[in-house]
Structures are given as structure tokens and as C-alpha cells.
Amino acid sequence: MRYSVKGGSPEKIVTECIVVSIWRNGSLSDEAKILDIKTKKLISGLVNSGDAIGNLGDTLLVYRPPNVSAKRILLAGAGDRKKFNASSAKKLIESIFKSCRKIGASSIHLCLSSCEPYDRDKHWFAARISQEAEVTGYSYDKTKSKKVKPWAIKGISISQEPRRQKKGLEASLKRGQAIGRAINQARELGNLPGNICTPTYLAQQANDLAFKHRKISSKVLSEKQMTRLGMGSLLSVSAGSAEEAKLIVIQYQGTKSDSKPYAIVGKGITFDTGGISLKSSGGMDEMKFDMCGAASVIATMGCIAELKLPINVVGLVAAAENMPGSKATKPGDVVTTMSGKTVEILNTDAEGRLVLCDALTYVERFKPRTIIDIATLTGAAVATFGSHANALLSNDQPLANAILNCGEQCLDRAWQLPLWDEYQPLLKSNFADIANIGGPRAGTITAACFLSRFTEKQKWAHLDIAGSAWLSGAQKGATGRPVSLLVEYLSQQKS
Ligand code: BES
Ligand code: MN
Ligand code: ZN
């Protein structure tokens, strides 16, 4: 898809669909006013007909408008002018692209420069437009025999005067496009079934990234190598599976090699049956999404390479399949982690923390400035936050604040839960240094408490994305979160 910035009067723009916005009180945006005059009050006629067309998210398509070069005009309701903020803008853009996709328009021109959200600038708005266009264009068909007809969209342009801002806005369109594509990549990996998207498949994705980007290198540790490193906890998860676990290391070098990196670590359970602590069968298919943290790491690494961020980043993926079997880990088994700490595995379904703890110990060797892990870790996070918030827990408040701010900025929001010492005793074990579960209460917090035992010396934050990473029901599918949050955070860091 091509994105561009066009100047000139809206009635002269040649496009399949020109989009202008209407406020809820019926007032026309500046561009809509121009089109209204040219079309001899076609638009104000519709607005004054009494039909409500200015509600946020509503759209109305006008075919073959007179005296205008565009084939169609799409009137997009923008809601209350005074309340038009970043979230409204997101909703407006989503509704526009959904309508355009439905009619199959192959070119679109957006005249929205007079309705920028009051809490963001032009560049944010432009990047959001291309991001949403990419995300709207995605559909899953990898494992369908009939392929979905792709959205035959060739070009999207936005209008902007004066011309001197063109370059900057085009850069923002590019940035949004890169983020949108990365979100789609994470969605695709999440949506792929567990019999295709195995630990080996994820490792291949990392190698593909290294092949594609000069500044990315990848390395995949086998079970044998992990045994040598003493990763008894990670390996306990894959013990019951025929699929070999992989620890995937992706390094992006965007600045001089001695600049300490930022680290992102993803949970990559390519299918979570629960192991011997077997899950109930209802809805178990959704546990193919248990690698969405890993998917967000892989997609983010590719995206920052495309954006050429001037920092170093290391992305780690702890990939394994959690299965029951004669060699599977049993409740009560005690394993030794790479850190030397022993863990009593009281529930084999609390496997995410078992793979992450060894990955978090391993990542120390890169001397990261900060570490963020991303994991579909607990059902309790779904119960607490539903699908809207990423749960955030951290041992470093400045880092937590940065993540909260970035989430607001890109609307991939996080909400912080406490990581107080008072919760730590819930992990007491009579037979090991620590138990892998903390009982039925405060599940998201005790899971983070477990991880915190392996990040004591680090500035570390944990994102539990169990609720945000995918949707259930009719819209079942991966959301690509929190790719935009991670990209936003890394974009704001310095080398
Ligand atoms: N992958 C699941 C968490 C999960 C559950 C995500 C439901 C999304 C929806 C994780 O491995 C898990 O099974 N967690 C257990 C932990 C418990 C045994 C302490 C959970 O949350 O039930
Ligand atoms: Mn589990
Ligand atoms: Zn899991």
C-alpha cells in the first residue's frame, strides 16, 4: 500500500473515495464545507434532512457527487467537537476504513486535517491513519482452502496545507505503516494453529528477521545447549512434548556495539494443555494463543529495524509446548533454575513463569538497561482487566511510569498492579526455595512475584497480556497487542 500527502482543493482530487468528517451538531469540517459548495449543498442538505449523521463512528456514502473529481464522498461522523480526543480519532479512522473496505475502494483520500484530536499532533494523527489502514487490511486465511480476497487498496492519501509539512507527515505515514504491519505479523503468528506454529517455527521467524534486516542477528539455543546452561525450569515445561523447546535470541544493533541494550522477553508457549495439571477441554483451543508474548517480541524487533531506531535491543523468546506425557513434569517435582534457585512445581499449568524465569536469568548476560517481559501469564489478568488493559507490574517505578505513558500515547494501554513484598510469602514451599503457584488469590500478582525473584538486580517490568492479546467469541483472533506499546517505548529510549 502507498501512502502520500496531497495538497490542493478537495473537489479536484481524483480518487475512488474522498472522506470528510461531520461533527455531531451537524457542523461541517472546513473540507466538507468546500465540497458542499461545489456539490450545490449536497452535504448540508443531507445533514439538514434531520437524519443523525455526525455520531462518532457512523458513516454515510454518497455516490457520484456532482462537480467533484472523486467517485464517492464518504461522510464520517466525528461526534462532539469538544470531546474529540485520541480515542475518538482512532474510532473515526477505524470506521472510515471499515466502510472503505466494504465497498472495495482502491484509492482513498482523507480530508481530515481540520479534525485532529486536541490531545495529539498532526504526526500522531497521520501515523494512526496508516496504522489503522494496515490493521483493517489484515485477514487470516493461511489455513483456509479458499483464500480471502484481499482489500484491493492501492493508495491512501491525506490532505495537508501548507506544503512544507509534507515530508514530516510522509515520514509519520511510513512509521504508522511499519507499526501496523508489525501488529499484523504478531496477529498472524498468534492465529496460526499449534500444529504449525511450533517452537521451531518461531525460531524460523527469528532467522527470517535476521535474513531480512542487516542490523538483526539471531541465535537459537537447543535443548542440549539449555541443559548445559542449567535451565532446568524451562526444560521442565517441554519435557512432556515431542516438540523441542527453543530459546530464541534476536539482537538488533542500531548504535555502537558497546551501548547497553534494552531487553524484551516473550512467553512462547505454542500450545498450553496445562501438562499433567491438564486444563479442562472447553475452549482449550485458545491456548494456541499462549505464544502471543513471543509474537509481540518478534514483530517488534522487525519493526524497530524498519524504523532504524538508534538504540540496541535484545529480544528473547522462550518457546516450548506444554504437554502431558510419560516424560512430563509432575506436580511436586522440584527443578533447579539457571539462577540456582530451586522450584517446586505444584501446578504444571503455571508453566509460563517456568520458561520465563530462565530466560530472565539468561538475559542478564547482555547487561540490559531495562527488561520488559510480555506474557499471556494468568487467567486472573483476564478476570481483572478483560480485554482492554495490559496488566503491568514492575520493580522500578520510573520504568513503570514510562510504560504507562507510552500505553496512553499509542492507546495500547496498561494498568499497574502492586508488587508489594506482602505477597511474596504466598510462594513459600516446604520442599524448594520457591513454589510455582501462590494459591487461588491475587493470581496475576503472585505470578509476577515469582518472576521478580529472578530479576532482583534488574530494572524490570512485566506485562501480563492474557486479556489483551486475543479476542474470544465471534471475533476470535489475536490482536497484535502490545506491539505498538513496545515500539512506542523503544522509540522513546536513547542510546
Ligand atoms: N496460559 C495460561 C494463562 C491464561 C489462561 C491465559 C486463560 C488466557 C486465558 C497460563 O499458563 C495458566 O495456565 N495460568 C494458570 C496459573 C495457575 C495454575 C496458577 C491460570 O491462570 O489459571
Ligand atoms: Mn498454563
Ligand atoms: Zn500458559
Side-chain angles (χ1 to χ4, degrees):
M1 181 127 50
R2 277 184 52 83
Y3 297 90
S4 58
V5 180
K6 277 187 191 158
S9 195
E11 81 279 4
K12 291 194 186 122
I13 290 177
V14 180
T15 176
E16 291 232 323
C17 187
I18 191 163
V19 183
V20 291
S21 59
I22 312 284
W23 300 110
R24 185 179 0 239
N25 65 7
S27 70
L28 309 186
S29 66
D30 300 347
E31 300 94 337
K33 272 184 205 149
I34 298 174
L35 290 182
D36 189 47
I37 295 165
K38 295 287 167 192
T39 58
K40 306 222 160 63
K41 301 210 178 284
L42 179 66
I43 299 174
S44 53
L46 285 166
V47 171
N48 297 333
S49 69
D51 296 0
I53 57 175
N55 288 327
L56 180 60
D58 286 355
T59 54
L60 183 68
L61 198 57
V62 181
Y63 282 92
R64 274 186 260 143
N67 313 321
V68 169
S69 303
K71 203 159 141 191
R72 313 170 179 90
I73 300 176
L74 184 73
L75 303 176
D80 283 345
R81 183 172 216 154
K82 284 204 191 88
K83 289 187 194 154
F84 193 78
N85 62 11
S87 300
S88 330
K90 174 181 181 232
K91 215 168 157 193
L92 172 72
I93 301 166
E94 274 172 0
S95 67
I96 290 170
F97 288 130
K98 285 216 177 90
S99 307
C100 290
R101 190 183 171 151
K102 221 185 254 167
I103 57 171
S106 68
S107 61
I108 305 168
H109 181 81
L110 302 169
C111 294
L112 299 175
S113 49
S114 67
C115 70
E116 275 147 29
Y118 65 77
D119 51 354
R120 295 290 190 283
D121 64 12
K122 283 183 172 32
H123 295 279
W124 182 90
F125 197 43
R128 196 76 207 189
I129 287 171
S130 47
Q131 179 183 324
E132 287 311 334
E134 294 294 327
V135 169
T136 307
Y138 171 84
S139 50
Y140 179 85
D141 63 8
K142 196 66 152 269
T143 45
K144 293 188 180 184
S145 62
K146 277 210 180 75
K147 298 302 170 195
V148 179
K149 204 170 141 230
W151 187 16
I153 177 88
K154 293 201 193 82
I156 294 177
S157 51
I158 61 174
S159 51
Q160 183 57 47
E161 299 288 350
R163 292 269 179 116
R164 67 188 145 75
Q165 288 176 335
K166 194 171 156 169
K167 275 244 149 60
L169 285 175
E170 278 174 349
S172 299
L173 287 168
K174 271 227 147 65
R175 179 184 154 82
Q177 179 177 29
I179 296 169
R181 282 189 184 155
I183 290 171
N184 290 344
Q185 185 191 9
R187 291 165 80 191
E188 180 77 0
L189 286 173
N191 289 336
L192 283 171
N195 60 331
I196 294 176
C197 186
T198 59
T200 305
Y201 187 92
L202 289 178
Q204 187 56 48
Q205 293 293 310
N207 292 337
D208 289 352
L209 278 184
F211 185 77
K212 195 170 152 202
H213 300 282
R214 197 170 45 83
K215 292 182 177 170
I216 289 185
S217 59
S218 69
K219 183 168 82 176
V220 179
L221 303 191
S222 64
E223 289 195 345
K224 205 165 145 196
Q225 289 168 301
M226 288 190 267
T227 306
R228 267 192 238 123
L229 286 165
M231 296 187 170
S233 182
L234 193 158
L235 291 166
S236 77
V237 174
S238 61
S241 170
E243 295 291 341
E244 226 206 304
K246 306 281 179 192
L247 185 67
I248 304 163
V249 186
I250 310 167
Q251 281 179 275
Y252 166 73
Q253 193 188 328
T255 185
K256 45 190 189 331
S257 59
D258 61 354
S259 170
K260 287 186 184 145
Y262 297 86
I264 50 178
V265 180
K267 170 179 173 182
I269 299 298
T270 58
F271 197 82
D272 180 14
T273 64
I276 297 299
S277 314
L278 194 63
K279 287 185 181 294
S280 60
S281 55
M284 204 208 270
D285 63 289
E286 295 195 1
M287 283 302 129
K288 73 173 182 178
F289 294 119
D290 212 14
M291 36 55 69
C292 283
S296 73
V297 167
I298 292 168
T300 297
M301 294 305 290
C303 186
I304 61 169
E306 225 166 279
L307 297 177
K308 302 191 172 68
L309 296 190
I311 53 171
N312 294 334
V313 181
V314 54
L316 232 63
V317 167
E321 188 183 65
N322 187 22
M323 294 284 279
S326 63
K327 293 192 176 156
T329 300
K330 305 167 292 296
D333 284 2
V334 174
V335 296
T336 304
T337 63
M338 185 183 174
S339 72
K341 288 186 173 146
T342 59
V343 176
E344 184 185 14
I345 300 177
L346 289 171
N347 189 321
T348 63
D349 197 11
E351 84 297 337
R353 60 199 81 180
L354 295 174
V355 296
L356 284 172
C357 70
D358 280 340
L360 289 168
T361 301
Y362 183 81
V363 84
E364 279 184 20
R365 66 181 53 199
F366 298 97
K367 303 195 167 47
R369 296 172 196 237
T370 62
I371 304 172
I372 303 175
D373 81 71
I374 308 100
T376 48
L377 207 61
T378 63
V382 190
T384 309
F385 292 116
S387 57
H388 298 299
N390 302 299
L392 168 68
L393 297 103
S394 177
N395 63 8
D396 184 75
Q397 199 51 41
L399 173 60
N401 290 342
I403 292 172
L404 291 169
N405 284 331
C406 290
E408 287 294 337
Q409 182 63 23
C410 67
L411 304 177
D412 188 348
R413 289 181 291 183
W415 198 262
Q416 192 175 7
L417 293 175
L419 194 66
W420 296 330
D421 287 342
E422 283 81 349
Y423 289 102
Q424 293 284 355
L426 291 168
L427 295 171
K428 258 175 72 75
S429 160
N430 286 355
F431 305 104
D433 299 342
I434 177 175
N436 82 323
I437 54 168
R441 302 163 70 193
T444 304
I445 297 174
T446 55
C449 283
F450 181 93
L451 298 176
S452 76
R453 304 290 186 101
F454 300 88
T455 54
E456 278 155 1
K457 289 169 270 171
Q458 309 289 334
K459 289 183 180 165
W460 158 78
H462 162 62
L463 289 169
D464 192 333
I465 58 164
S468 58
W470 76 85
L471 301 174
S472 303
Q475 334 165 54
K476 193 192 283 183
T479 60
R481 292 181 67 187
V483 168
S484 56
L485 170 55
L486 296 172
V487 173
E488 183 69 36
Y489 171 76
L490 293 171
S491 299
Q492 291 190 12
Q493 306 312 309
K494 297 197 173 69
S495 70

